[in-house]
Amino acid sequence: MTEETTNLDALRADVLQWITDDPDKTSRDELYRLLDGLPAAGPDLTDRFAGRLKFGTAGLRGPLRAGPNGMNLAVVRAAAAGLANWLDAKGAEGPVVIGYDARHGSRAFAAETARVVTGSGRRALVMPGPLPTPVTAYAVTKLGAAAAVQVTASHNPPQDNGYKVYLGRELGGDLGAGAQIVPPADTEIEAAIEALGPLSEIPLGDEGEILDDKVVDDYLNAVASVVDPDDPKRLASVATPMHGVGGATLVRAMERAGFPAPTLVARQADPDADFPTVAFPNPEEPGAIDLLKALAIEEGADVALALDPDADRCSVAVPVGDGTWRQLSGNEVGVLLADHWMRKGRKGTYATTIVSTTQLKAMCEKRGFGYMETLTGFKWLARTSADLAFAFEEALGYCVAPEFLRDKDGISASLIVSEIAAGQAARMATLQDRLDELAEEFGVYETGQLSVRVEDLSEIGACMKRLRAHPPTSLLDEPVTDYLDRLPDADVVTVTTANARVVCRPSGTEPKLKAYLEVREDVGGDLAGARERARASVEALKAEIAAVLGVPH
């Protein structure tokens, strides 16, 4: 018997054992077909059974497929049972709120989660339909829940799905109520999943209580209250939910806050799990908002808003005077929002992450506001301070109202962007004009990113090792003033000079090494020249750090 035959026999045994415990006939049939396709189907089956999809601080996320290393009813049942058992072990009272988006499998995964929750003796409160993730994050505290689950893969490709978990006040405390889980909750839930017996022994109840529209109405009232009723509301806006679930909620929120309804990109307005008009349903991806910018030009809009498919992030585009539109970076939107709240006198701490622009720090220092920064991820930003006023991350995430929602929210962020844009329009100006004014006050902060995708994850470790072994002593001919290695808390290295900064880290969600670059230039009466110099410096910095890491740029 050859080694290959032995391996295939062992794989076949693993698959058959899984099939005996898989509650979903569709998944069982899928695996039987693959077994019939052996040995050609060997690599596919090997990948599906390389290990179980692990429960981390982002919950679960993976491809829709049968087997332990995928999103399917069996994996969801186990995750729900592990969560229910963990809540019981913690003595947490209250229901579990369950939300879901419009991706393939989302409704079925939500129903399965509800059956497990009710089977454990706990109430399951299920959202009335496919809704944005921020509605679920809001509901966990509004409804006094022990926890919440949102079935979504956010901006992942169409073939993926996922599972986010939020904590209520009892387990999350004042800072973590309505926020995503952080360690050690993730490892404890993972341990509870691993401790499960056969899936057939997990008690199942009914599909829970379907909530009515009041929870959405309460959310809309909350986000609309963030807008100043006395500020200008005249605004021509366009928007896209990018085939996700945010379109209707955004329109209702805009109207409730007093703005005219945005014109939606018709081909992307309704939920569509196949995302037919975008190669990758992420507003950050090149070309993702091309239809939105075309509509903005057609409509003569003041501002263009793009939500990601679960509407917890938003991107913004603005007219730039030559008939074209420019997509703002997450850092630029974050600075605009922070500036708005500061000018409104919103007291408290302003927070961002270690990879976002340092301009927020400069603004806080000059204007006398508290400042904090955290590791990447809103699970950390949400917990920075009891007096959190505003938080953002460069990856298009903004928390404009932490008093009722401690997570990123593309809907409420869109409202405040609209408030700023309407105020600018009232004085015959644009969002770009306000960015120019901020540059005159604080200097030009130009950011960029070096992102290297790898096939072998060990390459990332080798790059980080090279950086640590031979850190640069200068960047752009300026001496390094600070070198910070965040091990063991995080695999992150920061290198800083008087006017430049580089933050290197492995991606937390993709097989990528990322270097976040920033250069500051004084304006000196020549804003256009400062911007041109800053852009050139970022490109030069990209080449320098690529050489240090030993990667192409």
Side-chain angles (χ1 to χ4, degrees), residues 433-487:
D433 292 327
R434 183 57 194 154
L435 286 170
D436 291 347
E437 292 167 355
L438 288 169
E440 295 281 359
E441 183 178 358
F442 294 98
V444 171
Y445 286 76
E446 185 73 20
T447 59
Q449 191 177 124
L450 172 66
S451 181
V452 181
R453 183 178 290 273
V454 301
E455 296 296 329
D456 182 356
L457 288 177
S458 66
E459 295 176 36
I460 294 177
C463 289
M464 295 299 291
K465 185 176 181 180
R466 279 193 289 272
L467 173 60
R468 289 185 167 102
H470 304 286
T473 57
S474 67
L475 296 173
L476 302 175
D477 296 325
E478 287 186 340
V480 168
T481 57
D482 188 31
Y483 171 84
L484 177 60
D485 188 343
R486 295 179 185 269
L487 282 176

Side-chain angles (χ1 to χ4, degrees), residues 137-163:
Y138 167 81
V140 67
T141 51
K142 177 67 177 180
L143 300 178
V149 168
Q150 176 75 5
V151 181
T152 181
S154 190
H155 52 274
N156 273 40
Q159 62 269 23
D160 287 359
N161 213 325
Y163 204 81

Side-chain angles (χ1 to χ4, degrees), residues 352-427:
T352 191
T353 68
I354 59 173
V355 302
S356 302
T357 180
T358 59
Q359 185 173 351
L360 179 64
K361 183 178 181 180
M363 292 166 64
C364 288
E365 288 176 348
K366 182 176 179 179
R367 296 176 176 179
F369 290 89
Y371 173 79
M372 289 184 70
E373 63 182 43
T374 71
L375 296 174
T376 56
F378 251 90
K379 58 184 179 288
W380 302 117
L381 282 172
R383 293 170 167 84
T384 49
S385 172
D387 71 341
L388 183 64
F390 169 72
F392 86 92
E393 60 181 357
E394 51 78 37
L396 310 184
Y398 319 99
C399 175
V400 301
E403 61 270 24
F404 63 78
L405 203 164
R406 283 191 171 247
D407 194 29
K408 56 185 178 292
D409 178 5
I411 304 289
S412 57
S414 293
L415 293 188
I416 303 305
V417 168
S418 298
E419 183 173 39
I420 303 169
Q424 289 292 98
R427 64 186 187 102

Side-chain angles (χ1 to χ4, degrees), residues 101-455:
D101 65 12
R103 284 178 175 266
H104 294 298
S106 289
R107 189 183 297 270
F109 294 161
E112 185 73 5
T113 300
R115 283 190 287 265
V116 173
V117 169
T118 56
S120 74
R122 193 181 295 268
R123 292 171 65 206
L125 306 180
V126 184
M127 285 292 172
L131 285 165
T133 294
V135 180
T136 300
Y138 167 81
V140 67
T141 51
K142 177 67 177 180
L143 300 178
V149 168
Q150 176 75 5
V151 181
T152 181
S154 190
H155 52 274
N156 273 40
Q159 62 269 23
D160 287 359
N161 213 325
Y163 204 81
K164 290 182 180 179
V165 174
Y166 294 82
L167 295 182
R169 190 168 304 279
E170 185 177 355
L171 293 180
D174 289 340
L175 299 187
Q180 295 182 53
I181 58 172
V182 294
D186 56 337
T187 55
E188 291 172 355
I189 294 171
E190 173 65 21
I193 295 170
E194 292 179 352
L196 294 171
L199 297 182
S200 58
E201 295 180 2
I202 295 173
L204 300 177
D206 58 39
E207 292 189 6
E209 306 165 39
I210 308 300
L211 296 167
D212 59 25
D213 197 52
K214 185 178 185 306
V215 66
V216 184
D217 200 56
D218 288 345
Y219 166 81
L220 291 169
N221 286 336
V223 297
S225 72
V226 178
V227 174
D228 190 332
D230 296 325
D231 277 5
K233 299 294 185 298
R234 187 172 181 177
L235 183 73
S237 64
V238 295
T240 177
M242 207 157 286
H243 299 296
V245 295
T249 307
L250 176 62
V251 168
R252 292 175 67 186
M254 291 281 281
E255 292 179 329
R256 191 158 304 192
F259 298 105
T263 301
L264 299 184
V265 176
R267 294 169 61 193
Q268 298 175 334
D270 296 325
D272 189 328
D274 293 322
F275 303 100
T277 68
V278 287
F280 202 97
N282 181 350
E284 291 181 294
E285 292 293 318
I289 68 165
D290 283 355
L291 291 176
L292 177 68
K293 289 193 286 187
L295 180 63
I297 294 171
E298 180 184 331
E299 294 288 324
D302 299 309
V303 67
L305 306 165
L307 302 175
D308 72 339
D310 72 328
D312 65 350
R313 303 192 308 157
C314 89
S315 183
V316 179
V318 297
V320 291
D322 60 355
T324 63
W325 280 66
R326 182 175 79 86
Q327 185 174 11
L328 302 183
S329 71
N331 284 318
E332 289 176 308
V333 176
V335 164
L336 282 170
L337 291 168
D339 169 62
H340 178 72
W341 279 141
M342 290 176 183
R343 289 187 294 150
K344 285 285 186 182
R346 175 175 274 228
K347 303 298 184 183
T349 297
Y350 289 70
T352 191
T353 68
I354 59 173
V355 302
S356 302
T357 180
T358 59
Q359 185 173 351
L360 179 64
K361 183 178 181 180
M363 292 166 64
C364 288
E365 288 176 348
K366 182 176 179 179
R367 296 176 176 179
F369 290 89
Y371 173 79
M372 289 184 70
E373 63 182 43
T374 71
L375 296 174
T376 56
F378 251 90
K379 58 184 179 288
W380 302 117
L381 282 172
R383 293 170 167 84
T384 49
S385 172
D387 71 341
L388 183 64
F390 169 72
F392 86 92
E393 60 181 357
E394 51 78 37
L396 310 184
Y398 319 99
C399 175
V400 301
E403 61 270 24
F404 63 78
L405 203 164
R406 283 191 171 247
D407 194 29
K408 56 185 178 292
D409 178 5
I411 304 289
S412 57
S414 293
L415 293 188
I416 303 305
V417 168
S418 298
E419 183 173 39
I420 303 169
Q424 289 292 98
R427 64 186 187 102
M428 304 298 289
T430 67
L431 293 178
Q432 182 62 58
D433 292 327
R434 183 57 194 154
L435 286 170
D436 291 347
E437 292 167 355
L438 288 169
E440 295 281 359
E441 183 178 358
F442 294 98
V444 171
Y445 286 76
E446 185 73 20
T447 59
Q449 191 177 124
L450 172 66
S451 181
V452 181
R453 183 178 290 273
V454 301
E455 296 296 329

Side-chain angles (χ1 to χ4, degrees), residues 492-504:
V492 179
V493 170
T494 302
V495 185
T496 307
T497 72
N499 292 295
R501 187 195 63 173
V502 175
V503 184
C504 295

